Amino acid sequence: MQFRLFSFALIILNCMDYGHCQASRWRRSKRASYGPNPICKGCLSCSKDNGCIRCQHKLFFFLRREGMRQYGECLHSCPSGYYGLRTPDMNRCSRCRIENCDSCFSRDFCTKCKTGFYSHRGRCFRGCPPGFAALEELMECVEGCEVGQWSEWGTCSRNNKTCGFKWGLETRTRQIVKKPAKDTIPCPTIAESRRCKMAMRHCPGGRRPTKTKDKKKKKKNLMERAQKQHSIFLATDKTSQ
């Protein structure tokens, strides 16, 4: 009877040792399988199929999707398009809800936009809103140069004269109301001119412009030259007869 009890005890002990060895072997094989793949790095608890389930206190839980598969990761900082949300339960990476945002401070405030977009008050735009100018080096919209209303068109003049010519120029201007936030931001044009027809072509009591006299003189010279050539032609014709 004692021999049987002793044999039974040995069998139980062997089974316990075997089970412990098997469990230890399974745990070692599990750790070895995660060795080359850092899927469980920083995890408090980890699943073979789903990756991290809980992260260490300072890390952020991120649910990565690859095709039909998804698994958890524990990261020091969230990837592009996500922001870190700290909660008493567990820190998580939440997706930015702002269109064309690359990284954000919170769900509704973008800190960096995607390439080709300008950041303005937590949003992303293709072009800056009215009253704001694009700062290309930072891809941000800053307060631009503000100008007032156009003045009325000035008097039509040319060479500081309001008569004596058929055509002249008239000008209008506007003032800078607010300077831009950066000196590199240009202001819109504050003066523009256009062609106009003078009200008085000839100045009263004045002489005609020199240009008109030159034209008449040139015309007179041409007439005299033509008459002279005609006289020479007639003289030559009489001599030949």
Side-chain angles (χ1 to χ4, degrees):
M1 183 67 179
Q2 291 180 353
F3 179 75
R4 289 181 178 179
L5 290 173
F6 180 74
S7 300
F8 182 71
L10 287 175
I11 292 171
I12 292 174
L13 289 172
N14 288 333
C15 289
M16 289 175 65
D17 290 340
Y18 178 78
H20 175 73
C21 292
Q22 288 294 99
S24 299
R25 188 179 297 112
W26 182 82
R27 282 196 295 270
R28 284 197 300 271
S29 65
K30 184 178 181 180
R31 284 198 297 269
S33 65
Y34 291 143
N37 187 358
I39 190 173
C40 284
K41 187 177 180 180
C43 300
L44 288 177
S45 58
C46 188
S47 168
K48 186 176 181 180
D49 297 321
N50 298 322
C52 290
I53 299 173
R54 290 186 63 81
C55 296
Q56 295 177 10
H57 177 65
K58 294 183 178 181
L59 302 182
F60 293 94
F61 176 80
F62 174 63
L63 189 62
R64 187 179 297 277
R65 292 177 174 85
E66 292 182 354
M68 298 297 293
R69 187 189 172 212
Q70 62 181 20
Y71 56 91
E73 285 184 311
C74 295
L75 307 173
H76 288 280
S77 60
C78 297
S80 176
Y82 291 81
Y83 69 98
L85 180 64
R86 295 187 181 276
T87 61
D89 179 42
M90 184 169 61
N91 303 328
R92 297 176 180 274
C93 290
S94 298
R95 185 185 292 275
C96 300
R97 300 298 178 183
I98 302 167
E99 191 176 359
N100 301 315
C101 182
D102 191 44
S103 59
C104 53
F105 173 74
S106 63
R107 178 176 179 175
D108 299 318
F109 195 94
C110 185
T111 54
K112 183 182 179 183
C113 298
K114 292 181 179 178
T115 304
F117 291 87
Y118 296 94
S119 175
H120 176 62
R121 295 179 179 177
R123 296 290 187 273
C124 299
F125 300 89
R126 277 288 186 187
C128 292
F132 293 85
L135 202 59
E136 297 294 338
E137 57 267 29
L138 298 177
M139 291 302 289
E140 293 180 355
C141 295
V142 296
E143 291 187 354
C145 182
E146 187 177 344
V147 293
Q149 297 294 324
W150 285 108
S151 65
E152 297 294 331
W153 288 102
T155 305
C156 187
S157 64
R158 182 175 175 180
N159 297 336
N160 296 323
K161 294 182 179 180
T162 57
C163 60
F165 302 93
K166 183 178 181 181
W167 298 99
L169 290 175
E170 57 184 3
T171 304
R172 66 176 183 176
T173 60
R174 57 183 175 180
Q175 300 297 321
I176 297 176
V177 178
K178 186 178 181 181
K179 292 184 178 180
K182 297 285 185 179
D183 295 335
T184 55
I185 298 173
C187 285
T189 179
I190 56 173
E192 61 181 12
S193 301
R194 67 181 182 182
R195 192 180 184 215
C196 59
K197 193 172 184 179
M198 287 192 173
M200 297 178 62
R201 183 171 183 182
H202 304 295
C203 297
R207 297 179 178 180
R208 296 288 180 89
T210 308
K211 192 173 182 180
T212 305
K213 284 185 176 182
D214 291 343
K215 282 185 177 180
K216 286 189 174 182
K217 188 176 181 180
K218 187 176 181 181
K219 186 177 181 180
K220 184 179 179 181
N221 290 337
L222 289 173
M223 291 292 294
E224 289 177 354
R225 190 182 303 170
Q227 289 176 358
K228 187 176 181 180
Q229 289 179 352
H230 182 66
S231 300
I232 293 172
F233 174 76
L234 292 175
T236 304
D237 186 56
K238 286 181 180 181
T239 305
S240 61
Q241 290 179 356

